[in-house]
Amino acid sequence: CGIVDNCGKLAENCGMKKISAACLGFAFAICCASANEVFTPAPEDVKILGTEGDLAKVLKRDIGFGEGALYRPSTNEVFFSDQPKNMIYRWTEKDGFSVFMRPAGYTGAKGEMDKAIDFGPNAIALDKNENLVFCQQGHRRIARIDEKRFEVEVLSDSYDGKKLNNTNDLCVLKDGSIFFTDPGFWHKRRAPEANELDFSGIYKITPDGKTVLIDGSLPQPNGIDFSPDEKYMYISQSGNGEQCWFVYELDETKTKVLSKKIFCSLKKWTGKVRGAPDGMTIGKDGWIYATGNGGVHIFSPDLKHKGLVKIENQVANCCIITDGDKEKSLFVVGPKGAYIIDMQRLKNLAGNAN
């Protein structure tokens, strides 16, 4: 494991270079997590931090399949996709819910939009200029939204001359590069002949617009995000194999995998608890809020499972709402619901979990 191999180098260099205690502790925590066996809890082994209606307040029920939650601090707006409705919602604490864009994931003939979730939009993120970029699943591409004209600019729709499968989740790094997952499961379920690529991929769109394959070995890569220092990439795998979360270490160019390891497996939950590892968000302090079987799973920066916010319906994505430097709320969406969780209360509960 490259992460483990680098621990010795990191320790050796500590005497030569100044390095923050927080960074050093985080790096060693990741090393230890990588060296140990994979955490594979049964549902009864996980601490329940709160439940729907208590910790998770219900905001809206009449959602087809909520996905791709994003908070934009400059406008104090939350955006999220409703895939079967082929639309993007806008939500603010003051004004509530409104339609931001429709059609969104697929803009072709209405008769071809048959309420299949793979036609709608999915994940949404902000580029470095605060423009919305998103996964247009119906068109199998990554695009940027021009909010003045409500037109889209295609950023990536193919790899090696072949059409992408079904773009699912994405995140944007500080240099403007975009990382996204492209599982093939939706199109394989509906029309296997539609797939031009014979694998599911994790990709990077470089700042100069090139689409680079990072990893094509996972059967169903889904959620994606990075640690605050962008040293580690986190991936959720939702099916066609073990339902789990991975941690990756990439090289300096962030185009080659040095190591990857499952840090939490939900294989004991599969078929027993509704849902699957899906979208996630990372706090500025490195805490991970990951939607999955049963609700929202909370991980500390050292990748220890700290508990579950139990939500009855499946949940698919989440984002953190901030108030200045303060993390105020966790906004969660999924099929049949949008929820909001007080972050201070959640962190207190998770921080006290053993």
Side-chain angles (χ1 to χ4, degrees), residues 142-164:
I142 306 296
R144 178 185 290 118
I145 299 174
D146 181 335
E147 293 184 49
K148 293 182 179 179
R149 299 180 178 85
F150 278 91
E151 297 175 349
V152 301
E153 173 192 358
V154 177
L155 303 178
S156 178
D157 62 3
S158 62
Y159 171 73
D160 197 26
K162 297 179 180 179
K163 189 77 174 173
L164 295 172

Short mmCIF file of all heavy atoms in Angstrom, two decimals, residues 142-164:
data_model
loop_
_atom_site.label_atom_id
_atom_site.label_comp_id
_atom_site.label_asym_id
_atom_site.label_seq_id
_atom_site.Cartn_x
_atom_site.Cartn_y
_atom_site.Cartn_z
N ILE A 142 -20.47 15.59 -18.73
CA ILE A 142 -20.27 16.62 -17.72
C ILE A 142 -20.43 17.96 -18.41
O ILE A 142 -19.86 18.18 -19.49
CB ILE A 142 -18.87 16.53 -17.07
CG1 ILE A 142 -18.62 15.12 -16.50
CG2 ILE A 142 -18.71 17.59 -16.00
CD1 ILE A 142 -19.52 14.73 -15.37
N ALA A 143 -21.19 18.86 -17.80
CA ALA A 143 -21.46 20.15 -18.44
C ALA A 143 -21.44 21.28 -17.42
O ALA A 143 -21.59 21.06 -16.22
CB ALA A 143 -22.81 20.11 -19.16
N ARG A 144 -21.26 22.48 -17.94
CA ARG A 144 -21.30 23.70 -17.12
C ARG A 144 -22.56 24.50 -17.50
O ARG A 144 -22.91 24.60 -18.68
CB ARG A 144 -20.06 24.55 -17.35
CG ARG A 144 -20.05 25.86 -16.57
CD ARG A 144 -18.86 26.73 -16.93
NE ARG A 144 -17.61 26.17 -16.43
CZ ARG A 144 -16.60 25.78 -17.19
NH1 ARG A 144 -16.68 25.86 -18.52
NH2 ARG A 144 -15.50 25.29 -16.66
N ILE A 145 -23.23 25.06 -16.51
CA ILE A 145 -24.46 25.82 -16.75
C ILE A 145 -24.15 27.30 -16.87
O ILE A 145 -23.50 27.89 -16.00
CB ILE A 145 -25.48 25.60 -15.62
CG1 ILE A 145 -25.86 24.12 -15.52
CG2 ILE A 145 -26.74 26.45 -15.86
CD1 ILE A 145 -26.76 23.80 -14.33
N ASP A 146 -24.64 27.92 -17.94
CA ASP A 146 -24.65 29.37 -18.08
C ASP A 146 -25.97 29.85 -17.48
O ASP A 146 -27.04 29.68 -18.06
CB ASP A 146 -24.57 29.75 -19.57
CG ASP A 146 -24.56 31.26 -19.79
OD1 ASP A 146 -25.08 32.01 -18.92
OD2 ASP A 146 -24.06 31.70 -20.84
N GLU A 147 -25.90 30.42 -16.28
CA GLU A 147 -27.13 30.76 -15.57
C GLU A 147 -27.88 31.95 -16.17
O GLU A 147 -29.06 32.14 -15.87
CB GLU A 147 -26.82 31.03 -14.09
CG GLU A 147 -26.36 29.79 -13.35
CD GLU A 147 -26.14 30.03 -11.87
OE1 GLU A 147 -27.05 30.59 -11.21
OE2 GLU A 147 -25.07 29.64 -11.36
N LYS A 148 -27.24 32.73 -16.98
CA LYS A 148 -27.93 33.85 -17.63
C LYS A 148 -28.80 33.36 -18.78
O LYS A 148 -29.92 33.82 -18.97
CB LYS A 148 -26.92 34.88 -18.13
CG LYS A 148 -26.18 35.60 -17.01
CD LYS A 148 -25.21 36.64 -17.57
CE LYS A 148 -24.49 37.37 -16.45
NZ LYS A 148 -23.52 38.38 -16.99
N ARG A 149 -28.29 32.41 -19.54
CA ARG A 149 -29.02 31.90 -20.71
C ARG A 149 -29.64 30.52 -20.47
O ARG A 149 -30.42 30.05 -21.27
CB ARG A 149 -28.07 31.81 -21.92
CG ARG A 149 -27.47 33.14 -22.33
CD ARG A 149 -26.54 32.95 -23.52
NE ARG A 149 -25.96 34.20 -23.99
CZ ARG A 149 -24.87 34.73 -23.48
NH1 ARG A 149 -24.23 34.13 -22.48
NH2 ARG A 149 -24.39 35.87 -23.96
N PHE A 150 -29.26 29.89 -19.37
CA PHE A 150 -29.66 28.52 -19.07
C PHE A 150 -29.32 27.60 -20.25
O PHE A 150 -30.11 26.77 -20.68
CB PHE A 150 -31.14 28.44 -18.69
CG PHE A 150 -31.36 28.79 -17.24
CD1 PHE A 150 -31.63 30.10 -16.87
CD2 PHE A 150 -31.23 27.83 -16.26
CE1 PHE A 150 -31.80 30.43 -15.53
CE2 PHE A 150 -31.39 28.15 -14.91
CZ PHE A 150 -31.69 29.46 -14.55
N GLU A 151 -28.10 27.79 -20.71
CA GLU A 151 -27.51 26.92 -21.71
C GLU A 151 -26.36 26.18 -21.06
O GLU A 151 -25.86 26.58 -20.00
CB GLU A 151 -27.02 27.73 -22.92
CG GLU A 151 -28.14 28.45 -23.66
CD GLU A 151 -27.61 29.34 -24.78
OE1 GLU A 151 -26.36 29.53 -24.82
OE2 GLU A 151 -28.41 29.83 -25.58
N VAL A 152 -25.93 25.08 -21.67
CA VAL A 152 -24.84 24.30 -21.09
C VAL A 152 -23.65 24.24 -22.04
O VAL A 152 -23.80 24.27 -23.26
CB VAL A 152 -25.29 22.87 -20.73
CG1 VAL A 152 -26.44 22.90 -19.74
CG2 VAL A 152 -25.67 22.08 -21.97
N GLU A 153 -22.48 24.19 -21.43
CA GLU A 153 -21.22 23.99 -22.15
C GLU A 153 -20.72 22.60 -21.80
O GLU A 153 -20.52 22.28 -20.63
CB GLU A 153 -20.20 25.04 -21.74
CG GLU A 153 -18.81 24.82 -22.32
CD GLU A 153 -17.76 25.69 -21.67
OE1 GLU A 153 -18.10 26.51 -20.78
OE2 GLU A 153 -16.57 25.54 -22.03
N VAL A 154 -20.52 21.77 -22.80
CA VAL A 154 -20.07 20.40 -22.56
C VAL A 154 -18.58 20.41 -22.21
O VAL A 154 -17.76 20.97 -22.93
CB VAL A 154 -20.31 19.51 -23.80
CG1 VAL A 154 -19.76 18.10 -23.55
CG2 VAL A 154 -21.80 19.46 -24.13
N LEU A 155 -18.24 19.79 -21.09
CA LEU A 155 -16.86 19.71 -20.63
C LEU A 155 -16.22 18.36 -20.95
O LEU A 155 -15.03 18.27 -21.20
CB LEU A 155 -16.79 19.99 -19.13
CG LEU A 155 -17.37 21.33 -18.67
CD1 LEU A 155 -17.29 21.44 -17.15
CD2 LEU A 155 -16.64 22.50 -19.33
N SER A 156 -17.04 17.30 -20.91
CA SER A 156 -16.54 15.97 -21.25
C SER A 156 -17.73 15.07 -21.57
O SER A 156 -18.70 15.03 -20.83
CB SER A 156 -15.73 15.36 -20.09
OG SER A 156 -15.29 14.05 -20.40
N ASP A 157 -17.64 14.34 -22.68
CA ASP A 157 -18.69 13.39 -23.02
C ASP A 157 -18.14 12.08 -23.58
O ASP A 157 -18.90 11.21 -23.99
CB ASP A 157 -19.70 13.99 -24.01
CG ASP A 157 -19.07 14.37 -25.35
OD1 ASP A 157 -17.85 14.13 -25.54
OD2 ASP A 157 -19.80 14.92 -26.19
N SER A 158 -16.81 11.93 -23.58
CA SER A 158 -16.23 10.71 -24.14
C SER A 158 -14.84 10.48 -23.56
O SER A 158 -14.21 11.38 -23.00
CB SER A 158 -16.14 10.81 -25.67
OG SER A 158 -15.27 11.87 -26.05
N TYR A 159 -14.40 9.24 -23.71
CA TYR A 159 -13.03 8.86 -23.36
C TYR A 159 -12.51 7.92 -24.43
O TYR A 159 -13.19 6.95 -24.78
CB TYR A 159 -12.98 8.18 -21.98
CG TYR A 159 -11.63 7.60 -21.67
CD1 TYR A 159 -10.55 8.43 -21.36
CD2 TYR A 159 -11.40 6.22 -21.73
CE1 TYR A 159 -9.29 7.90 -21.12
CE2 TYR A 159 -10.16 5.69 -21.47
CZ TYR A 159 -9.10 6.53 -21.17
OH TYR A 159 -7.85 6.03 -20.93
N ASP A 160 -11.34 8.22 -24.93
CA ASP A 160 -10.71 7.38 -25.95
C ASP A 160 -11.62 7.18 -27.15
O ASP A 160 -11.69 6.10 -27.74
CB ASP A 160 -10.32 6.03 -25.34
CG ASP A 160 -9.30 5.26 -26.20
OD1 ASP A 160 -8.56 5.92 -26.96
OD2 ASP A 160 -9.28 4.02 -26.11
N GLY A 161 -12.36 8.25 -27.49
CA GLY A 161 -13.23 8.21 -28.66
C GLY A 161 -14.55 7.49 -28.45
O GLY A 161 -15.33 7.34 -29.40
N LYS A 162 -14.84 7.09 -27.21
CA LYS A 162 -16.07 6.36 -26.92
C LYS A 162 -16.92 7.14 -25.94
O LYS A 162 -16.41 7.78 -25.02
CB LYS A 162 -15.76 4.97 -26.36
CG LYS A 162 -15.00 4.08 -27.34
CD LYS A 162 -14.68 2.73 -26.74
CE LYS A 162 -13.92 1.85 -27.73
NZ LYS A 162 -13.58 0.52 -27.16
N LYS A 163 -18.23 7.07 -26.13
CA LYS A 163 -19.18 7.78 -25.28
C LYS A 163 -19.08 7.29 -23.85
O LYS A 163 -18.94 6.10 -23.59
CB LYS A 163 -20.59 7.55 -25.82
CG LYS A 163 -21.68 8.41 -25.17
CD LYS A 163 -21.64 9.82 -25.70
CE LYS A 163 -22.82 10.63 -25.14
NZ LYS A 163 -22.71 12.05 -25.50
N LEU A 164 -19.16 8.24 -22.89
CA LEU A 164 -19.19 7.87 -21.49
C LEU A 164 -20.43 7.06 -21.18
O LEU A 164 -21.41 7.07 -21.93
CB LEU A 164 -19.14 9.13 -20.61
CG LEU A 164 -17.85 9.96 -20.69
CD1 LEU A 164 -18.01 11.27 -19.93
CD2 LEU A 164 -16.65 9.18 -20.15
#
